[in-house]
Amino acid sequence: GGGGAGGFGASPLGLGARGFDDRGAQLRALETSLRFIPESQDSERPKAYVPRNPYPTPGSFPQTPAPVFDLPAVFEKFDTDTLFFVFYYQQGTYQQYLAARELKKQSWRYHKKYLTWFQRHEEPKVTTDEYEQGTYVYFDYETGWCQRIKTDFTFEYGYLEDELTV
């Protein structure tokens, strides 16, 4: 007999007319399907923009942030105050990541205990495997929204945020 409902003939998995399996065909089929395997985000619905502080605006007003603010090159042009503003007021967003990345490029380092950014004002007076000590500039986001100098500051490396690569 020929092919058809009886299960005879060639099948997609490489079973031959007499039920012999063609392992090479099976492996090729599996390799092909593996190349096109869905990724986890394929099953997620696209996330719609949800404003943090919704306010009714006319339809002529932009309803979502401009896509230009997703471009790393734009953040290279922002001044330091703008980067700090984005970092502290756009928490949990891609823009916060881009601001942090740009601050790191400008030699700012984030202190996880004090939740603020520090930059060496001069070479450290003391350097060990655990810390460095010297004069630093830090960004005071709580009381003055400005940069201040801190002398004889000990920056313990354990508090250095170092997961973000630039």
Side-chain angles (χ1 to χ4, degrees):
F8 297 102
S11 77
L13 290 180
L15 289 175
R18 297 194 179 115
F20 297 112
D21 59 332
D22 179 353
R23 298 239 185 255
Q26 286 179 339
L27 286 175
R28 285 190 297 279
L30 285 172
E31 287 170 359
T32 301
S33 66
L34 186 59
R35 276 195 306 238
F36 299 103
I37 191 169
E39 299 193 16
S40 60
Q41 66 262 26
D42 291 337
S43 64
E44 296 175 10
R45 294 182 185 269
K47 292 179 177 66
Y49 173 71
V50 179
R52 292 172 180 256
N53 300 309
Y55 188 82
T57 56
S60 59
F61 193 81
Q63 301 299 309
T64 60
V68 71
F69 294 115
D70 289 337
L71 302 175
V74 170
F75 283 74
E76 294 171 6
K77 298 175 180 153
F78 288 159
D79 64 22
T80 308
D81 276 347
T82 304
L83 294 170
F84 285 130
F85 178 83
V86 171
F87 180 81
Y88 286 108
Y89 284 94
Q90 298 294 313
Q91 293 191 8
T93 66
Y94 181 58
Q95 289 73 24
Q96 182 190 35
Y97 163 79
L98 291 175
R101 196 174 82 159
E102 189 57 35
L103 287 165
K104 263 191 112 166
K105 283 184 186 175
Q106 297 176 20
S107 300
W108 287 90
R109 297 296 176 252
Y110 191 69
H111 195 290
K112 294 188 286 191
K113 179 179 177 183
Y114 298 119
L115 305 178
T116 196
W117 290 89
F118 285 80
Q119 188 180 56
R120 288 179 179 167
H121 186 62
E122 58 193 24
E123 283 302 306
K125 294 183 177 18
V126 179
T127 303
T128 72
D129 289 342
E130 286 84 36
Y131 68 89
E132 59 186 49
Q133 187 175 25
T135 303
Y136 291 80
V137 177
Y138 71 97
F139 185 74
D140 177 4
Y141 70 96
E142 290 184 305
T143 60
W145 200 262
C146 61
Q147 295 179 25
R148 301 186 190 275
I149 302 267
K150 181 77 172 162
T151 56
D152 293 322
F153 179 72
T154 302
F155 198 125
E156 296 177 54
Y157 296 137
Y159 293 118
L160 173 65
E161 193 291 314
D162 58 359
E163 293 173 20
L164 180 68
T165 56
V166 291

